[in-house]
Coordinates of all heavy atoms in Angstrom, one line a residue:
M3 N 13.0 -9.5 9.1 CA 11.9 -8.9 9.7 C 10.7 -8.9 8.8 O 10.7 -8.3 7.7 CB 12.3 -7.4 10.1 CG 11.2 -6.7 10.9 SD 11.0 -7.3 12.6 CE 9.6 -6.5 13.1
I4 N 9.6 -9.5 9.2 CA 8.4 -9.5 8.4 C 7.5 -8.3 8.8 O 7.3 -8.0 9.9 CB 7.6 -10.8 8.7 CG1 8.5 -12.0 8.4 CG2 6.4 -10.9 7.9 CD1 8.0 -13.3 9.0
H5 N 7.2 -7.6 7.8 CA 6.3 -6.5 8.0 C 4.9 -6.9 7.7 O 4.6 -7.7 6.7 CB 6.7 -5.3 7.1 CG 6.1 -4.0 7.5 ND1 4.9 -3.6 7.0 CD2 6.5 -3.1 8.3 CE1 4.6 -2.4 7.6 NE2 5.6 -2.1 8.4
T6 N 4.0 -6.5 8.5 CA 2.6 -6.9 8.4 C 2.0 -6.5 7.1 O 1.0 -7.2 6.6 CB 1.7 -6.4 9.6 OG1 1.8 -5.0 9.6 CG2 2.1 -7.0 10.9
S7 N 2.5 -5.5 6.4 CA 1.9 -5.2 5.1 C 2.2 -6.2 4.1 O 1.5 -6.2 3.0 CB 2.4 -3.8 4.7 OG 3.8 -3.9 4.4
E8 N 3.1 -7.1 4.3 CA 3.5 -8.1 3.3 C 2.7 -9.4 3.5 O 2.8 -10.3 2.7 CB 5.0 -8.4 3.4 CG 5.8 -7.2 3.0 CD 7.3 -7.4 3.3 OE1 7.6 -8.5 3.8 OE2 8.0 -6.5 3.1
I9 N 2.0 -9.5 4.6 CA 1.2 -10.7 4.8 C -0.3 -10.3 5.0 O -0.7 -9.2 5.2 CB 1.7 -11.5 6.1 CG1 1.5 -10.6 7.3 CG2 3.1 -11.9 5.9 CD1 1.8 -11.3 8.6
E10 N -1.1 -11.3 4.9 CA -2.5 -11.0 5.1 C -3.2 -12.2 5.8 O -2.6 -13.3 5.8 CB -3.2 -10.9 3.7 CG -3.2 -12.1 2.8 CD -3.8 -11.8 1.5 OE1 -3.9 -10.7 1.0 OE2 -4.4 -12.8 0.9
C11 N -4.3 -12.0 6.4 CA -5.1 -13.0 7.1 C -5.5 -14.1 6.1 O -6.1 -13.7 5.0 CB -6.2 -12.4 7.8 SG -7.4 -13.6 8.4
P12 N -5.2 -15.3 6.3 CA -5.7 -16.4 5.4 C -7.2 -16.6 5.4 O -7.7 -17.3 4.5 CB -4.9 -17.6 5.9 CG -4.6 -17.4 7.3 CD -4.5 -15.9 7.4
H13 N -7.8 -16.0 6.4 CA -9.3 -16.2 6.5 C -10.1 -15.1 5.8 O -11.0 -15.4 5.0 CB -9.7 -16.2 8.0 CG -8.9 -17.3 8.7 ND1 -9.2 -18.6 8.6 CD2 -8.0 -17.2 9.6 CE1 -8.3 -19.3 9.4 NE2 -7.6 -18.5 10.0
C14 N -9.6 -13.9 6.0 CA -10.4 -12.8 5.4 C -9.5 -11.8 4.6 O -10.0 -10.9 4.0 CB -11.1 -11.9 6.5 SG -10.0 -11.0 7.5
H15 N -8.3 -12.2 4.5 CA -7.3 -11.4 3.6 C -7.1 -10.0 4.1 O -6.7 -9.1 3.3 CB -7.7 -11.5 2.1 CG -7.8 -12.9 1.7 ND1 -6.7 -13.7 1.4 CD2 -8.9 -13.6 1.4 CE1 -7.2 -14.9 1.1 NE2 -8.5 -14.9 1.0
S16 N -7.4 -9.7 5.3 CA -7.1 -8.4 5.9 C -5.6 -8.2 6.2 O -4.9 -9.2 6.5 CB -7.9 -8.2 7.1 OG -7.4 -7.0 7.8
N17 N -5.1 -7.0 6.1 CA -3.7 -6.7 6.5 C -3.7 -6.2 7.9 O -2.6 -5.8 8.4 CB -3.1 -5.8 5.6 CG -2.9 -6.4 4.2 OD1 -3.5 -5.9 3.2 ND2 -2.1 -7.4 4.0
D18 N -4.8 -6.1 8.6 CA -4.9 -5.5 9.9 C -4.5 -6.6 10.9 O -5.4 -7.3 11.5 CB -6.3 -5.0 10.2 CG -6.3 -4.2 11.4 OD1 -5.3 -3.9 12.1 OD2 -7.4 -3.8 11.8
L19 N -3.2 -6.9 11.2 CA -2.8 -8.0 12.0 C -2.0 -7.6 13.2 O -1.3 -6.5 13.1 CB -2.0 -8.9 11.1 CG -2.5 -9.3 9.8 CD1 -1.5 -10.0 8.9 CD2 -3.8 -10.2 9.9
V20 N -2.1 -8.3 14.2 CA -1.2 -8.1 15.4 C -0.5 -9.4 15.8 O -1.0 -10.5 15.6 CB -2.0 -7.6 16.6 CG1 -2.5 -6.2 16.4 CG2 -3.2 -8.5 16.9
K21 N 0.7 -9.2 16.3 CA 1.5 -10.4 16.7 C 0.8 -10.9 17.9 O 0.4 -10.2 18.8 CB 3.0 -10.0 17.0 CG 3.7 -9.8 15.7 CD 5.2 -9.5 16.0 CE 5.9 -9.3 14.6 NZ 7.4 -9.0 14.8
N22 N 0.9 -12.2 18.0 CA 0.1 -12.9 19.1 C 1.0 -14.0 19.7 O 0.6 -15.1 19.9 CB -1.2 -13.5 18.6 CG -2.1 -14.0 19.7 OD1 -2.3 -13.2 20.7 ND2 -2.6 -15.2 19.6
G23 N 2.3 -13.7 20.0 CA 3.2 -14.7 20.6 C 3.7 -15.6 19.6 O 3.6 -15.5 18.4
K24 N 4.4 -16.6 20.1 CA 5.0 -17.6 19.2 C 4.6 -19.0 19.6 O 4.4 -19.3 20.8 CB 6.6 -17.5 19.3 CG 7.0 -16.2 18.6 CD 8.5 -16.3 18.2 CE 8.9 -15.0 17.4 NZ 10.3 -15.0 17.1
S25 N 4.6 -19.9 18.7 CA 4.3 -21.3 19.0 C 5.5 -22.0 19.6 O 6.6 -21.4 19.6 CB 3.8 -22.0 17.7 OG 4.8 -22.1 16.8
S26 N 5.4 -23.2 20.0 CA 6.4 -23.9 20.7 C 7.7 -24.1 19.7 O 8.8 -24.2 20.2 CB 6.0 -25.3 21.1 OG 5.4 -26.0 20.1
N27 N 7.5 -24.1 18.5 CA 8.6 -24.3 17.5 C 9.1 -22.9 17.1 O 9.9 -22.9 16.1 CB 8.3 -25.2 16.4 CG 7.2 -24.7 15.5 OD1 6.7 -23.5 15.7 ND2 6.8 -25.4 14.5
G28 N 8.7 -21.8 17.6 CA 9.2 -20.5 17.3 C 8.5 -19.8 16.1 O 9.0 -18.8 15.7
T29 N 7.5 -20.4 15.7 CA 6.7 -19.8 14.6 C 5.9 -18.6 15.1 O 5.2 -18.7 16.1 CB 5.8 -20.8 13.9 OG1 6.6 -22.0 13.5 CG2 5.1 -20.2 12.7
Q30 N 6.0 -17.5 14.4 CA 5.2 -16.3 14.8 C 3.7 -16.6 14.6 O 3.3 -17.1 13.6 CB 5.6 -15.2 13.9 CG 4.9 -13.9 14.2 CD 5.3 -13.4 15.6 OE1 6.5 -13.1 15.8 NE2 4.3 -13.2 16.5
K31 N 3.0 -16.3 15.6 CA 1.6 -16.4 15.6 C 0.9 -15.0 15.5 O 1.5 -14.0 16.0 CB 1.0 -17.1 16.8 CG 1.4 -18.5 16.9 CD 0.6 -19.3 17.9 CE 0.9 -18.8 19.4 NZ 0.3 -19.7 20.4
W32 N -0.1 -14.9 14.7 CA -0.8 -13.6 14.5 C -2.3 -13.7 14.8 O -2.9 -14.8 14.8 CB -0.7 -13.3 13.0 CG 0.7 -13.1 12.5 CD1 1.6 -14.1 12.1 CD2 1.5 -11.9 12.4 NE1 2.8 -13.6 11.7 CE2 2.8 -12.2 11.9 CE3 1.2 -10.6 12.7 CZ2 3.7 -11.3 11.7 CZ3 2.2 -9.6 12.5 CH2 3.4 -10.0 12.0
Q33 N -2.8 -12.6 15.1 CA -4.3 -12.5 15.2 C -4.7 -11.4 14.3 O -4.1 -10.4 14.1 CB -4.7 -12.1 16.6 CG -6.2 -12.1 16.8 CD -6.7 -11.9 18.2 OE1 -5.9 -11.4 19.1 NE2 -8.0 -12.1 18.4
C34 N -5.8 -11.7 13.6 CA -6.4 -10.8 12.7 C -7.4 -9.9 13.4 O -8.2 -10.3 14.2 CB -7.1 -11.6 11.6 SG -8.0 -10.5 10.5
N35 N -7.2 -8.6 13.2 CA -8.1 -7.6 13.9 C -9.4 -7.6 13.2 O -10.4 -7.1 13.8 CB -7.5 -6.2 13.8 CG -6.5 -6.0 15.1 OD1 -6.7 -6.7 16.1 ND2 -5.5 -5.2 14.9
S36 N -9.5 -8.0 12.0 CA -10.8 -8.0 11.3 C -11.7 -9.1 11.6 O -12.9 -8.8 12.0 CB -10.5 -8.0 9.8 OG -9.8 -6.8 9.4
C37 N -11.2 -10.3 11.6 CA -12.1 -11.4 11.9 C -11.8 -12.1 13.2 O -12.5 -13.0 13.6 CB -12.0 -12.5 10.7 SG -10.4 -13.3 10.6
K38 N -10.7 -11.6 13.9 CA -10.3 -12.1 15.2 C -9.8 -13.5 15.2 O -9.7 -14.2 16.3 CB -11.5 -12.0 16.2 CG -12.0 -10.5 16.3 CD -11.0 -9.6 16.9 CE -11.5 -8.2 17.0 NZ -10.4 -7.3 17.2
K39 N -9.5 -14.1 14.0 CA -9.0 -15.4 14.0 C -7.5 -15.4 14.2 O -6.9 -14.4 13.8 CB -9.4 -16.1 12.7 CG -10.9 -16.5 12.7 CD -11.2 -17.2 11.4 CE -12.7 -17.6 11.4 NZ -13.2 -18.0 10.1
H40 N -7.0 -16.5 14.6 CA -5.5 -16.7 14.8 C -5.0 -17.5 13.7 O -5.7 -18.4 13.2 CB -5.3 -17.4 16.2 CG -5.7 -16.6 17.3 ND1 -4.9 -16.0 18.2 CD2 -7.0 -16.5 17.8 CE1 -5.6 -15.4 19.2 NE2 -6.9 -15.7 18.9
F41 N -3.8 -17.2 13.3 CA -3.1 -18.1 12.4 C -1.6 -17.9 12.5 O -1.1 -17.0 13.2 CB -3.5 -17.7 10.9 CG -3.1 -16.3 10.5 CD1 -1.9 -16.2 9.8 CD2 -3.8 -15.2 10.8 CE1 -1.5 -14.9 9.4 CE2 -3.5 -13.9 10.4 CZ -2.3 -13.8 9.7
R42 N -0.9 -18.9 12.0 CA 0.5 -18.9 12.1 C 1.2 -18.6 10.7 O 0.6 -18.9 9.7 CB 1.0 -20.3 12.6 CG 0.7 -20.5 14.0 CD 1.4 -21.8 14.5 NE 1.1 -22.9 13.6 CZ 1.6 -24.1 13.8 NH1 2.5 -24.3 14.8 NH2 1.3 -25.1 13.0
L43 N 2.3 -18.0 10.8 CA 3.0 -17.7 9.6 C 4.4 -18.4 9.6 O 5.2 -18.1 10.5 CB 3.3 -16.2 9.5 CG 3.8 -15.6 8.2 CD1 2.9 -15.7 7.1 CD2 4.3 -14.2 8.4
D44 N 4.5 -19.3 8.7 CA 5.8 -20.0 8.7 C 6.2 -20.2 7.2 O 5.6 -19.6 6.3 CB 5.8 -21.3 9.5 CG 4.7 -22.2 9.0 OD1 4.3 -22.1 7.8 OD2 4.3 -23.1 9.8
Y45 N 7.2 -21.1 7.0 CA 7.7 -21.2 5.6 C 6.6 -21.8 4.7 O 6.6 -21.6 3.5 CB 8.9 -22.2 5.6 CG 8.5 -23.6 5.9 CD1 8.2 -24.5 4.9 CD2 8.4 -24.1 7.2 CE1 7.9 -25.8 5.2 CE2 8.1 -25.4 7.5 CZ 7.8 -26.3 6.5 OH 7.4 -27.6 6.8
R46 N 5.6 -22.4 5.3 CA 4.5 -23.0 4.5 C 3.7 -21.8 3.8 O 3.0 -22.0 2.8 CB 3.6 -23.9 5.2 CG 4.2 -25.2 5.5 CD 3.2 -26.2 6.1 NE 2.9 -25.7 7.5 CZ 3.5 -26.0 8.5 NH1 4.6 -26.8 8.4 NH2 3.2 -25.6 9.7
Y47 N 3.8 -20.7 4.4 CA 3.0 -19.6 3.9 C 3.3 -19.3 2.5 O 2.4 -18.9 1.7 CB 3.2 -18.3 4.8 CG 2.3 -17.2 4.4 CD1 1.0 -17.1 4.9 CD2 2.8 -16.1 3.6 CE1 0.2 -16.0 4.6 CE2 2.0 -15.1 3.2 CZ 0.7 -15.0 3.7 OH -0.1 -14.0 3.4
K48 N 4.5 -19.5 2.1 CA 4.9 -19.2 0.7 C 4.0 -19.9 -0.3 O 3.7 -19.4 -1.4 CB 6.4 -19.6 0.5 CG 7.0 -19.1 -0.8 CD 8.5 -19.3 -0.8 CE 9.1 -18.7 -2.0 NZ 8.8 -17.3 -2.2
A49 N 3.6 -21.1 0.0 CA 2.7 -21.9 -0.9 C 1.4 -21.2 -1.1 O 0.7 -21.5 -2.1 CB 2.6 -23.3 -0.3
W50 N 1.1 -20.3 -0.2 CA -0.3 -19.7 -0.3 C -0.2 -18.3 -0.8 O -1.2 -17.6 -0.9 CB -1.0 -19.7 1.0 CG -1.0 -21.2 1.5 CD1 -0.3 -21.8 2.4 CD2 -1.9 -22.2 0.9 NE1 -0.6 -23.1 2.5 CE2 -1.6 -23.4 1.6 CE3 -2.8 -22.2 -0.1 CZ2 -2.2 -24.5 1.3 CZ3 -3.5 -23.4 -0.4 CH2 -3.2 -24.6 0.3
E51 N 1.0 -17.9 -1.3 CA 1.1 -16.6 -1.8 C 0.3 -16.6 -3.2 O 0.1 -17.6 -3.8 CB 2.5 -16.2 -2.1 CG 3.2 -15.8 -0.8 CD 4.7 -15.6 -1.1 OE1 5.2 -15.7 -2.2 OE2 5.4 -15.3 -0.1
A52 N -0.2 -15.4 -3.6 CA -1.0 -15.4 -4.7 C -0.5 -16.2 -5.9 O 0.7 -15.9 -6.4 CB -1.2 -13.9 -5.1
G53 N -1.3 -17.0 -6.4 CA -0.9 -17.8 -7.6 C -0.1 -19.0 -7.5 O -0.1 -19.8 -8.4
T54 N 0.5 -19.2 -6.3 CA 1.3 -20.4 -6.1 C 0.5 -21.7 -6.2 O 0.9 -22.6 -6.9 CB 2.1 -20.3 -4.8 OG1 2.8 -19.1 -4.7 CG2 3.0 -21.5 -4.6
K55 N -0.6 -21.7 -5.6 CA -1.4 -22.9 -5.6 C -1.8 -23.2 -7.1 O -1.7 -24.3 -7.5 CB -2.7 -22.7 -4.8 CG -3.5 -24.0 -4.6 CD -4.7 -23.7 -3.8 CE -5.9 -23.3 -4.6 NZ -7.1 -23.3 -3.9
E56 N -2.2 -22.2 -7.8 CA -2.5 -22.4 -9.2 C -1.3 -22.9 -10.0 O -1.5 -23.8 -10.9 CB -3.0 -21.1 -9.8 CG -4.4 -20.6 -9.4 CD -4.5 -20.1 -8.0 OE1 -3.4 -19.8 -7.4 OE2 -5.6 -20.1 -7.4
K57 N -0.2 -22.4 -9.7 CA 1.0 -22.8 -10.4 C 1.3 -24.3 -10.1 O 1.6 -25.1 -11.0 CB 2.3 -22.0 -10.0 CG 2.4 -20.7 -10.8 CD 3.7 -20.0 -10.4 CE 3.4 -18.5 -10.3 NZ 4.4 -17.9 -9.4
I58 N 1.1 -24.7 -8.8 CA 1.3 -26.1 -8.4 C 0.4 -27.0 -9.2 O 0.8 -28.0 -9.8 CB 1.1 -26.3 -6.9 CG1 2.3 -25.6 -6.2 CG2 1.0 -27.7 -6.6 CD1 2.1 -25.6 -4.7
I59 N -0.9 -26.6 -9.3 CA -1.9 -27.4 -10.0 C -1.5 -27.5 -11.5 O -1.6 -28.6 -12.0 CB -3.3 -26.8 -9.7 CG1 -3.7 -27.0 -8.2 CG2 -4.3 -27.5 -10.6 CD1 -4.8 -26.1 -7.8
E60 N -1.2 -26.3 -12.0 CA -0.8 -26.3 -13.4 C 0.4 -27.3 -13.7 O 0.3 -28.1 -14.7 CB -0.5 -24.9 -13.8 CG -0.4 -24.7 -15.4 CD 0.1 -23.4 -15.7 OE1 -0.4 -22.4 -15.0 OE2 1.0 -23.2 -16.6
L61 N 1.4 -27.2 -12.9 CA 2.6 -28.0 -13.1 C 2.2 -29.5 -12.9 O 2.8 -30.3 -13.6 CB 3.7 -27.6 -12.1 CG 4.4 -26.2 -12.4 CD1 5.2 -25.8 -11.2 CD2 5.2 -26.4 -13.7
T62 N 1.4 -29.7 -11.9 CA 1.0 -31.1 -11.7 C 0.2 -31.7 -12.9 O 0.5 -32.8 -13.3 CB 0.1 -31.2 -10.4 OG1 0.8 -30.6 -9.3 CG2 -0.2 -32.7 -10.1
L63 N -0.7 -30.9 -13.4 CA -1.4 -31.3 -14.6 C -0.5 -31.5 -15.8 O -0.8 -32.3 -16.7 CB -2.5 -30.3 -14.9 CG -3.6 -30.2 -13.8 CD1 -4.6 -29.1 -14.2 CD2 -4.4 -31.5 -13.6
N64 N 0.6 -30.8 -15.8 CA 1.6 -31.0 -16.9 C 2.5 -32.1 -16.6 O 3.6 -32.2 -17.2 CB 2.3 -29.7 -17.1 CG 1.4 -28.6 -17.8 OD1 0.5 -29.0 -18.5 ND2 1.7 -27.4 -17.5
S65 N 2.3 -32.9 -15.6 CA 3.0 -34.0 -15.2 C 4.4 -33.7 -14.8 O 5.4 -34.5 -15.0 CB 3.1 -35.0 -16.4 OG 1.8 -35.4 -16.7
S66 N 4.6 -32.5 -14.2 CA 5.9 -32.2 -13.6 C 6.1 -33.0 -12.3 O 5.2 -33.3 -11.6 CB 6.0 -30.7 -13.3 OG 5.9 -30.0 -14.5
G67 N 7.4 -33.4 -12.1 CA 7.6 -34.1 -10.8 C 7.6 -33.2 -9.6 O 7.7 -32.0 -9.8
V68 N 7.5 -33.8 -8.5 CA 7.5 -33.0 -7.2 C 8.8 -32.2 -7.1 O 8.8 -31.0 -6.7 CB 7.3 -33.9 -6.0 CG1 7.5 -33.2 -4.7 CG2 5.9 -34.6 -6.0
R69 N 9.9 -32.8 -7.5 CA 11.2 -32.1 -7.4 C 11.2 -31.0 -8.3 O 11.8 -29.9 -8.0 CB 12.3 -33.1 -7.7 CG 13.2 -33.3 -6.6 CD 14.4 -34.3 -6.9 NE 14.2 -35.6 -6.3 CZ 14.9 -36.7 -6.6 NH1 15.9 -36.6 -7.4 NH2 14.7 -37.7 -6.0
D70 N 10.7 -31.1 -9.6 CA 10.7 -30.0 -10.5 C 9.9 -28.9 -10.0 O 10.3 -27.7 -10.1 CB 10.1 -30.5 -11.9 CG 11.0 -31.5 -12.6 OD1 12.2 -31.4 -12.3 OD2 10.5 -32.3 -13.3
I71 N 8.8 -29.2 -9.5 CA 7.8 -28.1 -9.0 C 8.5 -27.4 -7.8 O 8.4 -26.2 -7.7 CB 6.5 -28.8 -8.5 CG1 5.8 -29.3 -9.8 CG2 5.6 -27.8 -7.8 CD1 4.6 -30.2 -9.5
G72 N 9.1 -28.2 -6.9 CA 9.8 -27.6 -5.8 C 10.9 -26.6 -6.2 O 11.1 -25.6 -5.7
R73 N 11.6 -27.0 -7.3 CA 12.7 -26.2 -7.8 C 12.1 -24.9 -8.4 O 12.7 -23.9 -8.2 CB 13.5 -27.0 -8.8 CG 14.9 -26.5 -9.0 CD 15.7 -27.3 -10.0 NE 15.0 -27.5 -11.3 CZ 14.7 -28.6 -11.9 NH1 15.1 -29.7 -11.3 NH2 14.1 -28.6 -13.0
V74 N 11.1 -25.1 -9.2 CA 10.5 -23.9 -9.8 C 9.9 -22.9 -8.9 O 10.1 -21.7 -9.0 CB 9.4 -24.4 -10.9 CG1 8.7 -23.2 -11.4 CG2 10.1 -25.2 -12.0
L75 N 9.2 -23.4 -7.9 CA 8.5 -22.6 -7.0 C 9.2 -22.3 -5.7 O 8.7 -21.5 -4.8 CB 7.1 -23.2 -6.7 CG 6.2 -23.4 -7.9 CD1 4.9 -24.0 -7.5 CD2 5.9 -22.0 -8.6
H76 N 10.3 -23.0 -5.5 CA 11.1 -22.8 -4.2 C 10.3 -23.2 -3.0 O 10.2 -22.4 -2.0 CB 11.7 -21.4 -4.1 CG 12.5 -21.0 -5.3 ND1 13.7 -21.5 -5.5 CD2 12.2 -20.1 -6.3 CE1 14.2 -21.0 -6.6 NE2 13.3 -20.2 -7.1
I77 N 9.6 -24.3 -3.1 CA 8.9 -24.8 -1.9 C 9.3 -26.2 -1.7 O 9.9 -26.9 -2.6 CB 7.3 -24.8 -2.2 CG1 6.9 -25.6 -3.4 CG2 6.9 -23.3 -2.3 CD1 5.5 -25.8 -3.6
S78 N 9.1 -26.7 -0.5 CA 9.5 -28.0 -0.2 C 8.4 -29.0 -0.6 O 7.3 -28.7 -0.9 CB 9.6 -28.2 1.4 OG 8.4 -28.1 2.0
K79 N 8.8 -30.3 -0.7 CA 7.9 -31.4 -1.1 C 6.8 -31.4 -0.1 O 5.6 -31.7 -0.5 CB 8.7 -32.7 -1.0 CG 7.9 -33.9 -1.4 CD 8.9 -35.0 -1.6 CE 8.3 -36.3 -1.1 NZ 8.3 -36.5 0.3
D80 N 7.0 -31.2 1.2 CA 5.9 -31.2 2.2 C 4.9 -30.1 1.9 O 3.7 -30.3 2.0 CB 6.5 -31.0 3.6 CG 7.4 -32.2 4.1 OD1 7.2 -33.2 3.4 OD2 8.1 -32.0 5.0
T81 N 5.4 -28.9 1.5 CA 4.5 -27.8 1.2 C 3.6 -28.2 0.0 O 2.4 -28.0 0.0 CB 5.3 -26.6 0.9 OG1 6.2 -26.3 1.9 CG2 4.3 -25.4 0.6
F82 N 4.3 -28.8 -1.0 CA 3.6 -29.2 -2.2 C 2.5 -30.2 -1.9 O 1.4 -30.0 -2.4 CB 4.7 -29.8 -3.1 CG 4.1 -30.5 -4.3 CD1 3.5 -29.7 -5.4 CD2 4.0 -31.9 -4.4 CE1 3.0 -30.4 -6.5 CE2 3.5 -32.5 -5.5 CZ 3.0 -31.8 -6.5
C83 N 2.8 -31.2 -1.1 CA 1.8 -32.2 -0.7 C 0.7 -31.6 0.1 O -0.5 -32.0 -0.1 CB 2.5 -33.3 0.1 SG 3.7 -34.3 -0.9
A84 N 1.0 -30.6 0.9 CA 0.0 -30.0 1.7 C -1.0 -29.2 0.8 O -2.2 -29.2 1.0 CB 0.6 -29.1 2.8
V85 N -0.4 -28.6 -0.2 CA -1.3 -27.8 -1.1 C -2.2 -28.8 -1.9 O -3.4 -28.6 -2.0 CB -0.4 -27.0 -2.1 CG1 -1.2 -26.4 -3.2 CG2 0.3 -25.9 -1.4
L86 N -1.6 -29.9 -2.3 CA -2.4 -30.8 -3.1 C -3.5 -31.4 -2.2 O -4.6 -31.6 -2.7 CB -1.5 -32.0 -3.7 CG -0.7 -31.6 -4.9 CD1 -0.1 -32.9 -5.5 CD2 -1.6 -30.9 -6.0
K87 N -3.1 -31.7 -1.0 CA -4.1 -32.4 -0.1 C -5.3 -31.4 0.1 O -6.4 -31.8 0.1 CB -3.5 -32.7 1.2 CG -3.1 -34.2 1.4 CD -2.6 -34.4 2.7 CE -1.5 -35.5 2.7 NZ -0.6 -35.4 3.9
K88 N -4.9 -30.2 0.4 CA -5.9 -29.1 0.6 C -6.8 -28.9 -0.6 O -8.0 -28.8 -0.6 CB -5.3 -27.8 1.0 CG -6.2 -26.7 1.3 CD -5.8 -25.9 2.5 CE -6.8 -24.9 2.9 NZ -6.7 -24.3 4.2
N89 N -6.1 -28.9 -1.8 CA -6.8 -28.7 -3.0 C -7.8 -29.9 -3.3 O -8.8 -29.7 -3.8 CB -5.8 -28.6 -4.1 CG -6.5 -28.2 -5.4 OD1 -7.1 -27.1 -5.5 ND2 -6.5 -29.0 -6.4
A90 N -7.3 -31.1 -3.0 CA -8.0 -32.3 -3.2 C -9.3 -32.3 -2.4 O -10.4 -32.7 -2.8 CB -7.2 -33.5 -2.9
K91 N -9.3 -31.6 -1.2 CA -10.4 -31.5 -0.4 C -11.5 -30.6 -1.1 O -12.7 -30.9 -1.1 CB -10.1 -30.9 0.9 CG -10.1 -32.0 2.1 CD -9.9 -31.3 3.4 CE -8.6 -31.9 4.0 NZ -8.1 -31.1 5.1
N92 N -10.9 -29.5 -1.7 CA -11.9 -28.6 -2.3 C -12.4 -29.1 -3.7 O -13.5 -28.8 -4.0 CB -11.1 -27.2 -2.5 CG -10.8 -26.6 -1.2 OD1 -11.3 -26.9 -0.1 ND2 -9.8 -25.8 -1.2
Q93 N -11.5 -29.8 -4.3 CA -11.9 -30.3 -5.7 C -11.6 -31.8 -5.7 O -10.6 -32.2 -6.2 CB -11.1 -29.6 -6.7 CG -11.2 -28.1 -6.7 CD -10.3 -27.4 -7.7 OE1 -10.0 -27.9 -8.8 NE2 -9.9 -26.2 -7.3
P94 N -12.5 -32.6 -5.3 CA -12.3 -34.0 -5.2 C -12.0 -34.6 -6.6 O -11.3 -35.7 -6.6 CB -13.7 -34.6 -4.7 CG -14.4 -33.4 -4.1 CD -13.8 -32.2 -4.8
L95 N -12.4 -34.1 -7.6 CA -12.1 -34.6 -8.9 C -10.7 -34.5 -9.4 O -10.3 -35.2 -10.3 CB -13.0 -33.9 -10.0 CG -14.5 -34.2 -9.9 CD1 -15.3 -33.4 -10.9 CD2 -14.8 -35.7 -10.1
F96 N -10.0 -33.7 -8.7 CA -8.6 -33.4 -9.1 C -7.7 -34.6 -9.2 O -7.0 -34.8 -10.1 CB -8.0 -32.4 -8.1 CG -6.5 -32.0 -8.5 CD1 -6.3 -31.3 -9.6 CD2 -5.5 -32.4 -7.7 CE1 -5.0 -30.9 -10.0 CE2 -4.2 -32.0 -8.0 CZ -3.9 -31.3 -9.2
F97 N -8.0 -35.5 -8.2 CA -7.1 -36.8 -8.2 C -7.7 -37.9 -9.0 O -7.1 -39.0 -9.0 CB -6.9 -37.2 -6.7 CG -5.8 -36.4 -6.1 CD1 -5.9 -35.9 -4.8 CD2 -4.5 -36.3 -6.7 CE1 -4.9 -35.2 -4.2 CE2 -3.5 -35.6 -6.1 CZ -3.6 -35.1 -4.9
D98 N -8.8 -37.7 -9.6 CA -9.4 -38.8 -10.4 C -8.8 -38.9 -11.7 O -9.2 -39.8 -12.5 CB -11.0 -38.5 -10.5 CG -11.6 -38.8 -9.1 OD1 -10.9 -39.4 -8.3 OD2 -12.8 -38.5 -9.0
K99 N -8.0 -37.9 -12.1 CA -7.5 -38.0 -13.5 C -6.5 -39.1 -13.6 O -5.7 -39.4 -12.7 CB -6.8 -36.6 -13.8 CG -7.8 -35.5 -14.0 CD -7.2 -34.2 -14.3 CE -8.2 -33.1 -14.3 NZ -8.6 -32.5 -15.5
Ligands
LIG129 ZN1 -9.0 -12.1 9.2

C-alpha cells in the first residue's frame, strides 16, 4: 500500500495528491491538487527518488557498467537508460565525454 505522504508530484513536488484511476497496465495514476497535473507512479519512480539520478550520473562517470549500477541502486537497465536519456536532454554535454 502506497501512502501519498511517501510520494510527491514530479512537477511541483507537492504531497497533496489524489488517486486518479489506473492505466491499462494497472499502474496507479495520480492527480496533483497543487498544479492539477496528472502523473503515473510505477517502478520507474524509484529512479527519481532523491539523489538517485545523481548517483546514476556519478556511477556512469566512474565508468561503472549498467549491470553494476542496477545492482547498486536496485533499478532496471531500462530505468537507467531512461534516466540517462532524460539527463542527456537536460545536459547535452553529458554524452560528449
Ligand atoms: Zn504538482
